[in-house]
Amino acid sequence: MLRLPTRGRLLAASTIGTMPSALRLADHVSLRIPGNSRFAAEVRGRDTVERHLAAMGVRWERMRNTRAAFALGPNEAAWLVLLTPAPSQTPVFALVAASRDSSGAVTALELFIHDELRLARQYPRDDGVVRTSLAAQRNLQQVRAIHGTGGHTRFLAASRGRVLAILDEVVPAGHAPQLVQYRFDASGRVSSLHAVLPQGLSCCNSSGSNEIYAFMITPP
């Protein structure tokens, strides 16, 4: 069984610097979207990436000029967004993680989707192909076993190498959301772990900003 920090230890969260807004996409930027929805893919090229994000309701030009919700490291930040491909469907929360190079250009984007199954049900693939990342499922199950999926666990999503969780911690002043990032090695063991406090609650989508704000601060 994976041994993870207790809630008390997770309260020792910190911010890891900040990434500037107004980031530009590199010409060769890549975008990775997991899951089995029609949007799941790995695409490359600035114009292709922008179109793919826009199809999911995420406008890069608007998002990049807002403050990222979390700084995941000195060269990576994450924005909390609502995926709204069709207004008639229930929005799905996601984190857009952006990594930049030494020149400041974003070279890689990765979506962490809170409810991949819902997104796949609402927007199924046309070819019916089902793709499963066993590593991502394994990592997610280990973290879910510790934190659960409701209550104080506001957000939980995985990739092949890491899991991102937004937890609502009870502190003397009230409630304090924080992001905990777990990185895994190829064997499924945690290779690193750290918790960061939000550096902002701005969102790429003005129509969804109130929902995202409530998602982050309303006690469960």
Side-chain angles (χ1 to χ4, degrees), residues 87-214:
S88 59
Q89 296 285 359
T90 303
V92 175
F93 284 101
L95 282 167
V96 180
S99 301
R100 64 172 180 170
D101 61 17
S102 58
S103 72
V106 174
T107 57
L109 294 168
E110 187 172 9
L111 250 67
F112 288 82
I113 303 170
H114 180 59
D115 193 341
E116 288 184 20
L117 291 178
R118 174 187 288 177
L119 193 68
R121 286 195 301 268
Q122 293 179 166
Y123 310 99
R125 291 172 60 95
D126 295 332
D127 56 15
V129 173
V130 176
R131 297 182 299 179
T132 301
S133 170
L134 296 179
Q137 285 188 345
R138 175 199 62 203
N139 300 343
L140 189 63
Q141 287 172 0
Q142 292 186 80
V143 177
R144 185 184 288 131
I146 301 298
H147 298 300
T149 56
H152 291 280
T153 303
R154 297 303 186 88
F155 181 96
L156 195 61
S159 69
R160 287 173 292 183
R162 56 179 165 165
V163 173
L164 300 183
I166 298 178
L167 308 175
D168 187 83
E169 297 295 343
V170 179
V171 296
H175 292 259
Q178 63 180 295
L179 182 143
V180 185
Q181 178 175 235
Y182 304 87
R183 288 191 179 274
F184 293 79
D185 62 21
S187 68
R189 296 188 178 188
V190 174
S191 59
S192 69
L193 180 154
H194 65 259
V196 295
L197 298 173
Q199 62 174 10
L201 294 173
S202 297
C203 172
C204 63
N205 186 334
S206 60
S207 64
S209 60
N210 289 337
E211 292 179 63
I212 288 179
Y213 185 76

Side-chain angles (χ1 to χ4, degrees), residues 29-45 48-49 51-53 55-56 83 108-113 116 119-120 123-125 127 129-133 158-160:
V29 64
S30 65
L31 168 65
R32 180 180 296 169
I33 301 175
N36 286 294
S37 74
R38 70 183 61 165
F39 305 106
E42 185 168 353
V43 298
R44 294 184 179 275
T48 303
V49 165
R51 286 195 298 269
H52 208 83
L53 287 173
M56 303 182 77
L83 304 181
L109 294 168
E110 187 172 9
L111 250 67
F112 288 82
I113 303 170
E116 288 184 20
L119 193 68
Y123 310 99
R125 291 172 60 95
D127 56 15
V129 173
V130 176
R131 297 182 299 179
T132 301
S133 170
S159 69
R160 287 173 292 183

Side-chain angles (χ1 to χ4, degrees), residues 63-104:
M63 187 190 82
R64 75 188 185 100
N65 285 296
T66 66
R67 188 175 180 83
F70 298 95
L72 302 180
N75 293 308
E76 185 180 24
W79 285 257
L80 186 64
V81 300
L82 281 173
L83 304 181
T84 56
S88 59
Q89 296 285 359
T90 303
V92 175
F93 284 101
L95 282 167
V96 180
S99 301
R100 64 172 180 170
D101 61 17
S102 58
S103 72

